[in-house]
Amino acid sequence: MSLRIIANAAKRQTRVAILEGDRLAELLVERGKRVTGNIYKCRVENVVRGLDAAFVECGLEKNVFLHVSDAVTEEPSRQKMRKKMTSFPPIGKVVHEGEEFLMQIVKGPLGDKGARGTRRISLPGRYLVLMTDTEEKVGVSKKIEDEGERKRLRTIGHEVCPDDFGIIVRTRAQGATREDLEADVRFLTKLWQTIQGRTQQSSAPSLIHEDLSLVLEVLRDVFSEAVDEFIIDDKVTYDKVLNLLNNVAPELRSRVRLYREEEPIFTHFGIEQQIEQAIQPKVWLPHGGWLNIEQTEALTTIDVNTGKFTGRNLEDTVLRTNLEAAEEVARQLKLRDIGGIIVIDFIDMDKRQHRKQVTVALRRAFEQDRMKTRIMHITRLGLVEMTRKRTGESLSQILQTTCPCCSGHGRVLSAETVAAGIEREIRRQVREDSARLLHVIATPQVIVEFIGPFGEYVDELEEELDCEVYARADASLNHEHYEIIPAATRRELRRVRRRGVDHKLEVQPEDLLRIPEMGLVGCVDGLIVYAPEVSPDVEEPVKVRLTKVANSYARATPVGK
């Protein structure tokens, strides 16, 4: 089966899809700055003995959680980790308030929870991971099953491991030469020296080392001889990938291709439709059964149903449905990037050998998962408890937001996702219908995301496509609904009310969109008005004078200035 990596690099977000044949196997999304893998010089703000943990300031929005098991500087044994409550000294003896040290983020923030960090710094390379917290110690990935290859890599690992460091040989090192591993060691030890130098010159809290961007991380962790193509739709990102490959794997350069077609890359490869399916709770199985996937803050539950499937008899129907479900569960957890505690409710099976057969199939389905998983035995009730390593938000948490209409009982597309869809539809209409005047109507939050910080995105879009976009907000619309109305002449834009420079407006408190970092942002008769000099916390009507009027927004200053 062919394996392809498709990268869509845009200003709003970067998306990377991994395709097995034409089927979406994984989708990775990056918006703004990621923190997982970053290294900070931090300061302990408070030690909470009741949690055996500390909260550490490193410059992020919320303080980082540091458990005592991550605060000790030496890697704890498996036996210690199994007895967390009694194996470690009290947190007060490990770290102290006001203490400064280096810390690496291992889990990004999720919901109301901040990120999680560790004092044990590890630097991943192409073939190995350099551990800076331990004396010479060599480990080999458990996913390398061939004993001869494990022994060869372990021997090379001991030969190339620098003093006062440890290394873990990664799965992709199978078949790698001593020179490959030596090159990784040289690069990572030099990087560690750079990090130490920056640490001495910086004060806490501050960012010392930023991990790779999403596309380059995929290049490092996924791209190999097993991948047939790596297709990128952005020239700058394409050049960065080629430059990095020059140093680490020049033989793979010929597999990287720049996408030049007008049709959006994810549409061309049929990915957009598969993404829409990947955020639905219901997933159909090949023969009529289905899964229902529900995520909560504590855990994810997956319910298996026979649906329309009927086999030769009840036992056969149940077994075949459960076997299909085991394979699809592994695919869906990877695709949706779901981690943490997962409970799978398989259909009840009376025969012990059937339960064992399903458990074996489930474990086999997770063998190719890059995230660490732990699967418990199936119970007589058909329940399987498992864990999957979580490093950040799942796909649905990234693409969707809590629905304001149902107080969180359901989910709708986020404003950023709807705005990105509007931009894609405008590009399609300009390309296919030669539209040049477009009236866009959506909810105020979606319009703000669409036009960008102070109108930056819509200005660039109009210049790039040589068109005029008149975006207006309508609070009565459904959050996910929008309209794009093409016009032949400006006269046809009758629903668009225009104002000129120096026009005075009164912004009512109910017209405000609470975006503190942008000052006062109001929606007056559908027009987004920015007044950066005015506090967003006003409780009375504010009079402003327009200083700039664009097609989709206006900037203003308080009357009297």
Side-chain angles (χ1 to χ4, degrees), residues 211-231:
D211 203 13
L212 295 176
S213 65
L214 176 61
V215 174
L216 297 184
E217 180 188 13
V218 170
L219 176 72
R220 179 191 69 196
D221 296 343
V222 181
F223 191 42
S224 66
E225 292 79 3
V227 177
D228 298 287
E229 285 185 300
F230 194 158
I231 308 171

Side-chain angles (χ1 to χ4, degrees), residues 468-481:
E468 293 181 34
V469 178
Y470 295 83
R472 293 294 184 270
D474 185 349
S476 67
L477 289 178
N478 179 289
H479 180 74
E480 293 185 351
H481 181 73

Side-chain angles (χ1 to χ4, degrees), residues 328-512:
E328 188 62 28
V329 163
R331 176 178 176 268
Q332 290 296 326
L333 292 183
K334 286 195 297 181
L335 174 57
R336 299 169 187 238
D337 200 13
I338 294 175
I341 300 172
I342 299 151
V343 177
I344 309 167
D345 182 11
F346 287 103
I347 306 167
D348 294 353
M349 293 171 286
D350 293 330
K351 292 186 177 180
R352 184 177 179 181
Q353 62 264 35
H354 286 181
R355 295 197 295 271
K356 183 176 180 181
Q357 197 173 341
V358 170
T359 304
V360 170
L362 184 65
R363 288 177 173 158
R364 187 183 302 118
F366 278 100
E367 287 178 354
Q368 301 304 316
D369 193 348
R370 291 185 291 120
M371 295 298 175
K372 183 179 179 182
T373 58
R374 184 184 178 198
I375 301 172
M376 309 303 289
H377 292 290
I378 193 168
T379 68
R380 287 188 60 85
L381 295 177
L383 296 178
V384 171
E385 297 174 359
M386 65 169 289
T387 59
R388 184 174 185 268
K389 184 178 178 181
R390 179 187 71 81
T391 58
E393 295 179 310
S394 68
L395 184 63
S396 67
Q397 289 164 335
I398 293 173
L399 297 184
Q400 298 175 303
T401 188
T402 303
C403 175
C405 301
C406 62
S407 303
H409 294 295
R411 300 186 70 83
V412 296
L413 294 177
S414 67
E416 298 97 320
T417 304
V418 178
I422 291 174
E423 181 178 330
R424 288 194 292 270
E425 177 61 18
I426 287 174
R427 291 180 179 276
R428 186 197 67 78
Q429 289 196 22
V430 171
R431 184 182 71 251
E432 297 180 5
D433 304 328
S434 300
R436 287 294 176 264
L437 294 171
L438 294 152
H439 182 200
V440 176
I441 309 171
T443 62
Q445 288 293 345
V446 169
I447 292 296
V448 168
E449 290 294 337
F450 170 69
I451 65 180
F454 303 107
E456 176 187 349
Y457 293 160
V458 73
D459 285 348
E460 292 181 1
L461 184 67
E462 287 179 316
E463 182 178 352
E464 178 188 342
L465 301 180
D466 189 25
C467 68
E468 293 181 34
V469 178
Y470 295 83
R472 293 294 184 270
D474 185 349
S476 67
L477 289 178
N478 179 289
H479 180 74
E480 293 185 351
H481 181 73
Y482 60 85
E483 294 181 58
I484 301 176
I485 307 168
T489 66
R490 288 182 178 82
R491 282 190 177 181
E492 294 183 21
L493 296 168
R494 294 171 185 169
R495 295 173 65 184
V496 178
R497 186 174 177 182
R498 300 185 183 88
R499 293 181 174 86
V501 173
D502 290 331
H503 186 93
K504 294 179 181 178
L505 296 174
E506 190 171 83
V507 183
Q508 302 295 329
E510 60 266 27
D511 295 332
L512 295 179

Side-chain angles (χ1 to χ4, degrees), residues 61-200:
E61 184 179 349
K62 293 183 179 180
N63 286 346
V64 177
F65 180 80
L66 180 67
H67 188 261
V68 65
S69 60
D70 295 308
V72 293
T73 54
E74 292 187 5
E75 182 77 28
S77 65
R78 291 181 185 175
Q79 185 177 2
K80 274 191 173 184
M81 291 303 293
R82 280 195 291 267
K83 301 178 181 179
K84 276 188 181 181
M85 301 295 288
T86 58
S87 296
F88 296 98
I91 186 66
K93 293 186 177 181
V94 180
V95 298
H96 310 282
E97 290 185 9
E99 185 179 357
E100 297 182 358
F101 46 75
L102 281 183
M103 182 179 65
Q104 187 170 34
I105 305 299
V106 293
K107 287 184 180 179
L110 178 63
D112 295 330
K113 297 179 181 178
R116 180 165 181 163
T118 179
R119 293 180 68 181
R120 299 187 295 275
I121 309 297
S122 59
L123 302 174
R126 188 168 176 81
Y127 298 109
L128 53 82
V129 177
L130 183 72
M131 298 180 293
T132 65
D133 63 295
T134 182
E135 296 181 0
E136 185 174 338
K137 175 183 175 183
V138 177
V140 179
S141 168
K142 293 180 180 178
K143 292 186 178 181
I144 301 177
E145 297 179 350
D146 184 272
E147 285 301 323
E149 180 66 0
R150 291 179 63 85
K151 184 176 180 180
R152 183 186 75 89
L153 291 172
R154 192 180 298 277
T155 300
I156 296 175
H158 281 291
E159 294 171 354
V160 303
C161 184
D163 295 336
D164 301 323
F165 289 93
I167 63 172
I168 298 175
V169 182
R170 305 182 69 180
T171 307
R172 71 182 310 157
Q174 294 182 86
T177 64
R178 177 192 172 104
E179 289 73 21
D180 292 330
L181 270 61
E182 282 181 334
D184 251 15
V185 168
R186 284 195 302 270
F187 171 76
L188 295 175
T189 51
K190 185 177 179 180
L191 176 59
W192 177 239
Q193 292 170 1
T194 302
I195 290 171
Q196 288 181 308
R198 290 176 182 168
T199 303
Q200 295 173 359

